[in-house]
């Protein structure tokens, strides 16, 4: 059968209730609202009234905004057919995208000109960097630098696109110090974290702060006695429970924007600030090491 919106819909039974399931998650939530528990209705109310805002919220943010526990949000996501919170946001974003596409087709929206795109992206990137500058704490930066100076080993970890930022951080710092490393494989990251100690420092780079592999590594590192620094967008997330220092970056990235350039720019901005200040605070040895590493590759250039 089809509903009035033209989407395919089916009924299925769950926990004694008949649930109407369409291809639009937002419609599902609205159509099945009267069958939710009191707690589920709190979450549904907030989601329905703040759809676009929810797309950029962590599970902890949504739980606090709805006045419920994180676990309640997770159960709600499962009950509406999502595998977890990230999958919930993905399905919700499809609902929004579908609606916006329908409006665009109806109104015959004109495609943006190349000149407009050039200026729009430039302004977006400038805004991301300005936002990061505003959000980042100088006190947290100082703590991070002190930990870096005191550390025997420094590791930069990330998953997916954040791993690219981790590698870039390693590439920059290995020019001026010999105690940095980056590991690609999540299993190897976990093993390294388990062997870390009080003299080791681990950077976890994660936009959401809710990637399971990242949180798992941070938890293991803390249990092992290592210091953990998080570079993330959300002040409250599963990752921040295990961080000694939190460096907040700007950029709102939706579930369909994975690996957005703005997010990378904000992360790289934080890394570059750390690099420049570390270099200045340890100038003599940094200059010497920079000369050594430059000489090591000079013959590779024509």
């Amino acid at each position: 059968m089809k509903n009035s919106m033209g989407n395919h819909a089916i009924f299925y039974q769950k926990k004694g209730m008949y649930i109407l399931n369409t291809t639009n998650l937002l419609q599902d939530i609205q159509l099945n609202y009267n069958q939710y528990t009191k707690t589920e209705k709190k979450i549904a109310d907030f989601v329905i009234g703040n759809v676009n805002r929810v797309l950029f919220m962590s599970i902890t943010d949504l739980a606090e905004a709805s006045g419920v526990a994180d676990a309640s949000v997770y159960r709600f996501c499962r009950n509406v057919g999502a595998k977890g919170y990230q999958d919930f946001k993905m399905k919700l974003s499809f609902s929004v995208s579908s609606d916006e596409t329908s409006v665009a087709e109806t109104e015959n929206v004109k495609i943006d000109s190349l000149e407009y795109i050039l200026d729009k992206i430039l302004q977006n990137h400038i805004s991301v960097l300005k936002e990061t500058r505003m959000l980042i704490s100088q006190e947290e930066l100082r703590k991070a630098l002190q930990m870096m100076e005191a550390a025997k080993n420094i590791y930069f970890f990330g998953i997916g696109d954040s791993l690219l930022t981790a590698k870039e951080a390693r590439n920059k710092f290995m020019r001026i110090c010999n105690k940095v490393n980056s590991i690609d494989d999540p299993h190897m990251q976990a093993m390294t974290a388990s062997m870390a100690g009080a003299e080791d420092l681990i950077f976890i780079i994660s936009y959401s702060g809710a990637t399971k592999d990242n949180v798992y590594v941070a938890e293991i590192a803390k249990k092992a006695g290592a210091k953990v620094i998080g570079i993330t967008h959300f002040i409250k997330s599963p990752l921040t429970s295990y961080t000694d220092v939190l460096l907040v970056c700007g950029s709102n990235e939706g579930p369909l924007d994975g690996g957005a350039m703005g997010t990378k720019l904000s992360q790289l901005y934080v890394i570059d600030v750390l690099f420049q200040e570390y270099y200045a605070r340890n100038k003599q040895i940094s200059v010497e090491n920079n000369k050594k590493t430059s000489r090591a590759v000079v013959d590779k250039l024509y």
Side-chain angles (χ1 to χ4, degrees):
M1 62 175 288
K2 287 188 176 183
N3 60 15
S4 60
M5 300 296 292
N7 293 320
H8 291 282
I10 60 171
F11 283 100
Y12 68 94
Q13 196 169 18
K14 184 175 183 179
K15 297 181 180 178
M17 300 186 299
Y18 283 98
I19 307 296
L20 178 60
N21 180 239
T22 73
T23 56
N24 186 307
L25 179 62
L26 186 58
Q27 287 181 22
D28 282 350
I29 294 173
Q30 295 170 324
L31 292 170
N32 297 302
Y33 182 84
N34 66 333
Q35 301 191 65
Y36 294 152
T37 65
K38 184 177 180 181
T39 298
E40 289 174 335
K41 286 181 178 179
K42 288 183 178 180
I43 302 169
D45 287 339
F46 188 85
V47 171
I48 292 170
N50 304 271
V51 179
N52 289 312
R53 182 179 169 189
V54 171
L55 295 178
F56 301 103
M57 296 176 75
S58 68
I59 188 170
T60 304
D61 289 338
L62 179 54
E64 288 191 350
S66 305
V68 302
D70 289 15
S72 297
V73 174
Y74 180 76
R75 285 194 295 270
F76 175 78
C77 294
R78 299 281 299 192
N79 287 342
V80 297
K83 296 177 181 177
Y85 184 64
Q86 294 304 317
D87 187 49
F88 170 79
K89 290 204 299 181
M90 180 70 75
K91 291 178 183 294
L92 188 63
S93 68
F94 286 154
S95 301
V96 176
S97 297
S98 176
D99 291 342
E100 290 178 347
T101 299
S102 298
V103 172
E105 290 174 349
T106 301
E107 298 180 354
N108 193 27
V109 176
K110 183 179 179 180
I111 298 175
D112 293 337
S113 67
L114 180 57
E115 182 180 5
Y116 176 79
I117 292 297
L118 286 167
D119 292 336
K120 179 181 178 181
I121 291 176
L122 175 62
Q123 290 304 315
N124 286 345
H125 289 174
I126 291 173
S127 297
V128 164
L129 294 174
K130 286 183 176 180
E131 181 185 356
T132 303
R133 171 64 182 88
M134 180 185 67
L135 291 173
I136 198 165
S137 164
Q138 293 187 44
E139 182 59 30
E140 292 292 280
L141 277 171
R142 292 190 185 97
K143 290 179 182 178
L145 288 160
Q146 290 170 359
M147 289 179 182
M148 293 180 74
E149 291 174 324
K152 182 179 180 180
N153 298 295
I154 301 174
Y155 299 94
F156 293 97
F157 290 161
I159 300 295
D161 287 288
S162 291
L163 177 60
L164 300 178
T165 305
K167 288 183 175 181
E168 180 62 26
R170 177 205 59 195
N171 293 348
K172 287 185 72 67
F173 278 97
M174 73 183 301
R175 296 175 179 273
I176 61 173
C177 63
N178 63 353
K179 57 182 181 181
V180 297
N181 203 347
S182 176
I183 299 173
D184 295 6
D185 186 81
H187 291 178
M188 297 299 105
Q189 291 180 9
M191 291 170 65
T192 300
S194 70
M195 297 293 287
E199 294 183 315
D200 296 316
L201 173 62
I202 296 178
F203 278 85
I204 305 287
I205 303 172
S206 170
Y207 170 80
S208 68
T211 304
K212 290 181 180 179
D213 285 325
N214 285 330
V215 177
Y216 181 60
V217 167
E219 182 181 5
I220 291 176
K222 288 301 295 179
K223 288 180 179 179
K227 298 292 190 298
V228 177
I229 295 177
I231 299 180
T232 181
H233 179 63
F234 297 101
I235 296 176
K236 292 184 178 181
S237 68
L239 174 62
T240 59
S241 300
Y242 304 103
T243 55
D244 297 286
V245 170
L246 182 62
L247 302 177
V248 182
C249 58
S251 177
N252 280 333
E253 179 180 291
L256 295 180
D257 301 325
M261 189 60 69
T263 298
K264 288 190 181 69
L265 284 175
S266 64
Q267 293 172 344
L268 290 172
Y269 172 71
V270 174
I271 294 298
D272 204 21
V273 169
L274 289 171
F275 176 82
Q276 297 293 341
E277 187 61 18
Y278 185 94
Y279 193 106
R281 291 168 63 137
N282 303 272
K283 190 168 184 178
Q284 184 175 351
I285 187 65
S286 293
V287 170
E288 292 176 5
N289 289 338
N290 198 17
K291 288 179 180 178
K292 290 179 182 178
T293 54
S294 295
R295 290 194 197 101
V297 296
V298 69
D299 290 339
K300 303 295 183 181
L301 303 175
Y302 283 104

